[in-house]
Amino acid sequence: METIRKDILETPVEFLKGVGPAKGELLKKELRLYTFGDLLQHYPYRYVDKTKFHRIRELNEDSGSVQLKGVLRRLSIMGEGPKKRLVGQFRDDSGVMDLVWFTGIHWLEKALVVGTEYVVYGRVNAYGNMLSIPHPEMEVATPENLERAPAFAPVYPGTEKLNAKNLDAKALRRLLQSLFEKLQPGDLPETLPAYLVEKLHFPPRYDALRGIHFPKTQEELDAARNRLKFEELFFLQLRLLQLKRRRKDEVKSYVFDKIGDYFNRFYAEKLPFELTGAQKRVLKEIRRDFASGRQTNRLIQGDVGSGKTIVALMAMLMALDNGFQACMMAPTEILAQQHFLSVSAYLEGMDLRVEFLSGTIKGKKRQAILDALAAGDIHILIGTHALIEDPVQFRRLGLAITDEQHRFGVAQRAKLWKKGIPHPPHVLVMTATPIPRTLAMTLYGDLDVSVIDELPPGRKDIVTTHRTENHRMRVYGFIRDEIAKGRQIYVVYPLIEESEKLDLKNLQEGYEALSREFPVPDYQISIVHGRMKPADKDFEMQRFVSGQTQIMVATTVIEVGVNVPNASVMIIENTERFGLSQLHQLRGRVGRGAEQSYCLLMTDFKISHEGRERIQTMVRTNNGFEIAEADLRLRGPGDLEGTQQSGILNLHIADLARDGRILQTAREIADRILDDDPALQKPHHAVLRVELDKQKQQKGWGRIS
Ligand code: ADP
Ligand code: MG
């Protein structure tokens, strides 16, 4: 019996009562709901108390979605052509307002009965000072209907198109209802071992799924949510931790047990400063990995300026000391260039060959690098994605470091692995900006983690202030004073693709204003933006780096990597248009020398609430991890750069910004289970294996590794 019904969740959605081929097609296109199972996982994003009513007199333009009870007084068709609409006059004991429909006019005109009492639900719209509700849900206010009204009516995410085709929130509610009419508890078998369900006081799975769609009480809803969030995070962690363990157990790699001449000489003669305690600790962790005989897969997190590059470099020297080559891959040309320049500078005089490779290196030069690499003459190769292209062959690659703005795709990582022969290289992943713990645990949950949680000594916090247009003259005065002290200044403009022309105009005008205020020959100004030829860009950069120019006007091309210790002021224009992590990166361009540094955040008078919060966060703290947390809270993980592509964060219900504790619990429990039963072979863990297999097929989890 059970086997026959087992696949009901795989049933194509069009076979559900009330769907059919046309609506089925829409559900697939608009919401990616293909099967009953998908629909079941289309969770409400909020609930409406249908037992409570608003009063017309108390409504205003900010009322949002409301429920009213009253009498339909009049119905009339108004307007012509596309403006044709059905308008209903609706009255409760406090006032009168309009209900408006633009589609289904004639049908509605027949169906609705003037003089009848209705329950109306919809979103208040303000047109001038007239309030109305477009396309409200209508239900006759019979005693039975009122009796049946749920305190938690689910509201489902939908789209305009679906609304227009009569697949609105109410229709989705009906579909879920008819789905639950078909489903029996046996169709939604347990996915968690019984002892866990009991220990965590979870409702059975069927109850949880029913409870998330149609809760009767707040308690039921909380319990359902809690379980479903846990479940979602738990299986993801189980999968990531399994992967991590499997690699540890199965993937052999080279043993780097020597600390040799390269490392020692560098340490004794070249290292220009004492390492911080955190840098030393992380290097020890890396060294232990390298000596273990298993493949290293370690994430190195650290705030902007915490000194990740030197750690990466010294790890590469360990590889070299053991007779291997190393490579380092960065997400952008500029960042890769910067790594190449700083690594080359650190290694000056060490008789090592360090080369740069990117898409811009072509022809003979490229071939020469490829040949030398295959012959083993190049010790360290630094570059962009070009490193993982097929023709790039190492003689003996032992260590691959990736500096990631966001998680590199898996296919890319797999390619990197294949560059090592016979074994995959050790892998270190550095993040260009700090990422919140919950996100790290999820995106990089299969890696070991090291955190460089200490900045080099002597760094002063950057003083950050918010300034508006009427401070402009004082800002110029400040620039003048700082230049007089011998400092250099960055002025950065946003450049966002869709409005590139406008932005470029802003940048040009800003440059001209500055040129008038700071004229030659007393002052020199550099300008750099993405539309310039690389050679011109380099030339301008170089003038700033060497101190010939005092002001650098730029777009965010300088966001990453640029290192000019004498620059002590960062002025960011139109700050409200930048994201938090970008602002933090930009600010990190100053505060690199011994001088007190400043960051001025320029905005209009009027900025959005969220923009203000971003600015307040920047003013309040210099701590990149704190800023990353705030970013996650404000924007949600889906919007953080790059998380979309990773495919890991397609979470249905868990929220990484808010469910940190559930995530922590899920990870700990997953870890404990794997300690006890690594292959999940014990009988009571069979359910876990079944669910993992199912999810693996559905979600294409191959993408994770
Ligand atoms: P990150 O990549 O983590 O943002 P970098 O590796 O670029 O940081 O280092 C930032 C700056 O700090 C560089 O100029 C580097 O030379 C310097 N630096 C790194 N480690 C130390 C240290 N232990 N003491 C002093 N300066 C350091
Ligand atoms: Mg760096």
Side-chain angles (χ1 to χ4, degrees):
M1 176 68 200
E2 210 179 291
T3 43
I4 297 169
R5 292 188 57 89
K6 208 170 89 190
D7 287 331
I8 185 165
L9 293 183
E10 298 290 314
T11 315
V13 73
E14 61 262 34
F15 293 119
L16 187 66
K17 196 178 96 194
V19 182
K23 286 186 175 169
E25 207 45 48
L26 266 172
L27 288 173
K28 287 174 198 172
K29 252 211 202 110
E30 294 288 299
L31 298 175
R32 305 175 61 81
L33 302 179
Y34 292 86
T35 62
F36 286 13
D38 293 337
L39 186 62
L40 188 65
Q41 285 210 342
H42 191 60
Y43 298 132
Y45 68 99
R46 62 192 186 90
Y47 302 83
V48 181
D49 186 347
K50 292 276 189 175
T51 65
K52 293 227 166 61
F53 298 98
H54 291 81
R55 306 182 71 221
I56 290 176
R57 189 158 45 113
E58 284 151 16
L59 300 182
N60 60 49
E61 57 184 17
D62 298 322
S63 293
S65 297
V66 297
Q67 180 167 263
L68 306 166
K69 188 170 64 170
V71 177
L72 187 63
R73 308 291 305 186
R74 218 173 30 220
L75 260 185
S76 38
I77 292 176
M78 294 162 87
E80 292 280 322
K83 287 203 171 145
K84 189 162 156 187
R85 61 201 186 273
L86 179 67
V87 178
Q89 194 192 64
F90 185 70
R91 176 193 291 271
D92 69 3
D93 57 14
S94 74
V96 183
M97 74 185 300
D98 281 351
L99 309 175
V100 188
W101 293 267
F102 295 93
T103 55
I105 292 177
H106 295 284
W107 181 81
L108 279 161
E109 195 197 11
K110 282 201 200 92
L112 295 170
V113 183
V114 170
T116 303
E117 189 176 35
Y118 283 97
V119 172
V120 164
Y121 179 79
R123 207 176 171 77
V124 177
N125 190 27
Y127 189 80
N129 53 12
M130 279 291 293
L131 297 182
S132 66
I133 299 182
H135 288 266
E137 292 176 22
M138 303 283 287
E139 194 167 47
V140 178
T142 59
E144 305 85 75
N145 281 345
L146 292 172
E147 176 76 16
R148 264 204 343 244
F152 295 88
V155 183
Y156 294 97
T159 65
E160 288 290 324
K161 235 194 196 135
L162 288 176
N163 287 343
K165 301 277 176 182
N166 277 329
L167 271 170
D168 56 5
K170 189 168 149 196
L172 285 169
R173 203 176 301 149
R174 287 230 187 86
L175 293 187
L176 260 308
Q177 256 153 3
S178 62
L179 179 61
F180 271 98
E181 276 160 25
K182 285 185 109 70
L183 292 177
Q184 287 161 20
D187 296 321
L188 304 173
E190 258 318 321
T191 48
L192 298 171
Y195 73 89
L196 210 55
V197 173
E198 194 180 334
K199 189 175 132 196
L200 296 169
H201 307 292
F202 284 156
R205 186 145 176 275
Y206 176 88
D207 293 4
L209 283 162
R210 213 191 150 86
I212 198 78
H213 289 288
F214 302 107
K216 296 210 170 51
T217 62
Q218 186 67 46
E219 289 72 40
E220 196 188 344
L221 175 59
D222 291 344
R225 227 184 231 150
N226 202 29
R227 178 190 161 127
L228 294 173
K229 285 179 173 194
F230 176 87
E231 212 177 310
E232 185 164 64
L233 295 169
F234 171 76
F235 281 103
L236 185 52
Q237 289 302 326
L238 197 60
R239 167 89 183 128
L240 288 164
L241 290 169
Q242 244 185 349
L243 195 70
K244 180 170 165 185
R245 279 166 193 259
R246 213 172 283 150
R247 272 200 214 126
K248 281 225 161 88
D249 294 343
E250 292 167 16
V251 182
K252 297 270 171 298
S253 190
Y254 311 106
V255 179
F256 296 173
D257 53 1
K258 265 192 296 218
I259 289 290
D261 276 355
Y262 289 130
F263 189 96
N264 286 331
R265 230 188 102 202
F266 178 80
Y267 196 85
E269 296 170 21
K270 300 283 173 191
L271 188 63
F273 38 67
E274 176 81 10
L275 293 175
T276 63
Q279 286 171 320
K280 283 183 191 162
R281 191 189 69 238
V282 172
L283 275 167
K284 264 196 206 123
E285 286 164 353
I286 294 171
R287 204 182 149 190
R288 208 179 309 130
D289 288 352
F290 282 176
S292 72
R294 292 183 292 261
Q295 190 204 15
T296 305
N297 276 286
R298 186 173 284 279
L299 172 71
I300 300 173
Q301 277 231 70
D303 204 346
V304 177
S306 61
K308 294 183 288 281
T309 313
I310 201 80
V311 170
L313 169 64
M314 292 175 78
M316 291 198 283
L317 293 177
M318 291 185 209
L320 268 45
D321 274 336
N322 287 275
F324 289 88
Q325 294 166 296
C327 72
M328 190 163 167
M329 179 162 86
T332 64
E333 178 95 18
I334 297 178
L335 192 51
Q337 280 271 6
Q338 186 68 35
H339 281 318
F340 172 69
L341 291 176
S342 49
V343 166
S344 305
Y346 279 128
L347 295 179
E348 180 101 55
M350 293 249 326
D351 201 22
L352 283 171
R353 184 156 170 204
V354 183
E355 291 286 353
F356 177 80
L357 188 69
S358 80
T360 60
I361 310 283
K362 296 196 172 90
K364 277 203 186 112
K365 198 165 167 203
R366 183 183 191 84
Q367 198 49 51
I369 290 174
L370 294 183
D371 292 344
L373 196 66
D377 295 338
I378 291 173
H379 297 89
I380 295 175
L381 184 66
I382 297 178
T384 59
H385 290 77
L387 293 200
I388 54 173
E389 278 160 22
D390 284 336
V392 180
Q393 292 299 336
F394 292 81
R395 183 172 150 79
R396 241 189 145 202
L397 181 64
L399 171 63
I401 301 179
T402 62
D403 194 3
E404 306 189 359
Q405 214 149 29
H406 42 70
R407 200 191 159 92
F408 271 133
V410 172
Q412 290 169 328
R413 227 179 258 168
K415 277 188 181 167
L416 205 50
W417 278 40
K418 291 201 194 105
K419 299 287 172 190
I421 296 169
H423 295 312
H426 294 292
V427 173
L428 294 176
V429 175
M430 303 197 295
T431 57
T433 58
I435 52 177
R437 237 171 61 85
T438 52
L439 205 56
M441 262 200 275
T442 314
L443 279 175
Y444 298 98
D446 56 330
L447 309 183
D448 293 311
V449 179
S450 293
V451 184
I452 308 184
D453 50 7
E454 186 185 348
L455 292 180
R459 291 277 169 81
K460 294 196 185 83
D461 267 357
I462 298 158
V463 175
T464 303
T465 44
H466 178 201
R467 291 282 177 256
T468 52
E469 214 39 56
N470 62 336
H471 298 112
R472 180 70 65 190
M473 283 304 141
R474 262 182 290 164
V475 170
Y476 286 153
F478 179 70
I479 295 177
R480 204 165 286 122
D481 292 347
E482 287 294 304
I483 292 177
K485 287 191 225 159
R487 307 286 111 75
Q488 289 166 284
I489 320 286
Y490 291 108
V491 182
V492 178
Y493 286 82
L495 192 67
I496 297 166
E497 305 242 336
E498 39 200 288
S499 56
E500 202 167 341
K501 275 209 184 96
L502 193 73
D503 288 334
L504 222 44
K505 186 164 158 264
N506 276 344
L507 175 95
Q508 287 292 357
E509 283 172 4
Y511 173 74
E512 279 157 26
L514 279 164
S515 306
R516 280 193 298 275
E517 204 65 35
F518 299 93
V520 283
D522 293 351
Y523 299 95
Q524 300 285 339
I525 306 181
S526 288
I527 180 165
V528 170
H529 58 79
R531 286 278 181 84
M532 288 163 68
K533 290 202 192 91
D536 296 341
K537 238 190 285 186
D538 280 352
F539 177 77
E540 286 290 311
M541 277 308 297
Q542 218 38 56
R543 292 209 308 147
F544 188 68
V545 171
S546 64
Q548 293 169 56
T549 61
Q550 294 88 33
I551 301 175
M552 160 67 83
V553 179
T555 58
T556 44
V557 291
I558 64 144
E559 185 181 337
V560 280
V562 179
N563 195 6
V564 182
N566 190 49
S568 67
V569 180
M570 168 63 65
I571 297 174
I572 302 174
E573 299 285 346
N574 299 111
T575 305
E576 68 276 10
R577 292 183 47 195
F578 291 93
L580 263 177
S581 65
Q582 215 179 4
L583 289 173
H584 183 61
Q585 268 289 333
L586 284 169
R587 180 168 62 180
R589 299 304 105 207
V590 297
R592 302 186 152 240
E595 312 309 328
Q596 177 61 57
S597 292
Y598 302 89
C599 177
L600 273 54
L601 306 174
M602 307 293 297
T603 70
D604 275 348
F605 292 113
K606 260 188 89 149
I607 44 177
S608 69
H609 179 70
E610 203 211 293
R612 190 166 296 278
E613 264 187 67
R614 281 197 304 257
I615 285 166
Q616 281 165 352
T617 305
M618 288 297 293
V619 170
R620 187 178 68 240
T621 181
N622 273 277
N623 182 320
F625 285 94
E626 223 175 297
I627 288 168
E629 295 283 350
D631 203 17
L632 178 63
R633 228 173 23 246
L634 286 173
R635 291 202 291 170
D639 291 334
L640 297 188
E641 275 156 81
T643 52
Q644 296 289 23
Q645 301 98 293
S646 75
I648 294 176
L649 287 185
N650 293 331
L651 299 174
H652 290 285
I653 186 162
D655 173 350
L656 292 180
R658 285 162 41 190
D659 299 327
R661 275 202 10 239
I662 299 178
L663 173 59
Q664 184 68 37
T665 311
R667 185 163 172 100
E668 279 163 19
I669 290 176
D671 212 21
R672 236 177 291 146
I673 287 175
L674 291 171
D675 271 344
D676 164 53
D677 184 13
L680 302 175
Q681 274 164 338
K682 295 191 175 171
H684 58 282
H685 288 149
V687 287
L688 296 178
R689 250 182 305 136
V690 170
E691 180 64 15
L692 280 173
D693 284 346
K694 208 167 98 196
Q695 294 197 4
K696 205 166 156 183
Q697 282 169 14
Q698 284 171 359
K699 299 195 176 169
W701 260 355
R703 279 180 297 178
I704 289 185
S705 55

